[in-house]
Amino acid sequence: NAGVTQTPKFQVLKTGQSMTLQCAQDMNHEYMSWYRQDPGMGLRLIHYSVGAGITDQGEVPNGYNVSRSTTEDFPLRLLSAAPSQTSVYFCASSYRGLDEKLFFGSGTQLSVL
Amino acid sequence: KQEVTQIPAALSVPEGENLVLNCSFTDSAIYNLQWFRQDPGKGLTSLLLIQSSQREQTSGRLNASLDKSSGRSTLYIAASQPGDSATYLCAAQNTGGFKTIFGAGTRLFVKA
């Protein structure tokens, strides 16, 4: 009953460092996505994928990279962390991405100093 | 561009009260409207999904309605309980793509 698993749960970075947030799902979902949640602003879509090898940009893609080499995994890469990227990051998935409930991971709290 | 707004931002009610949470959206070309619950420090859990052809969905004490023409959805919670205390978010999925746009949420506190 793992569902959507995100690692790590907490991370502190210095400005300019890079890192990868991991997301894995075991529900054979084609659609996976990354959101960031900031106080008072709700969740904003960063990138999404509709299947292995297919990714597209969301509302706030700058400063983030993604790739989808397998159905199960959808990592989010911060190339050069900035304080503006301090946020809580959520990964979400659904079977095919259209007209279906979204399943969320428990989030990664990232602080960039 | 789709914008989703939730009012009020916070709400405090006594236990047992029936309550309504509001969600409005600017673009009526949507596949669905989805309501989520988020507990502090946790991820989101989908409560109800209303497809564009539907008017409402019910699950237990929860009832969600959708009026595309007016750009509004409501989440009705009957006989509220302290365990209902959480943040409730609504989200609209636009037609023509895979993007789901979220409101900022309503933080609900049910007093025992």
Side-chain angles (χ1 to χ4, degrees), chain A residues 46-82:
Chain A
I46 304 171
H47 286 286
Y48 65 94
S49 169
V50 297
I54 306 170
T55 64
D56 205 346
Q57 296 181 349
E59 303 169 87
V60 289
N62 292 341
Y64 307 95
N65 272 7
V66 293
S67 60
R68 183 97 179 267
S69 57
T70 68
T71 299
E72 293 77 20
D73 301 297
F74 190 44
L76 178 71
R77 282 183 277 281
L78 282 71
L79 303 177
S80 178

Side-chain angles (χ1 to χ4, degrees), chain A residues 17-29:
Chain A
Q17 287 185 318
S18 63
M19 80 158 295
T20 298
L21 307 185
Q22 302 291 344
C23 176
Q25 53 85 15
D26 61 358
M27 298 175 281
N28 202 30
H29 285 173

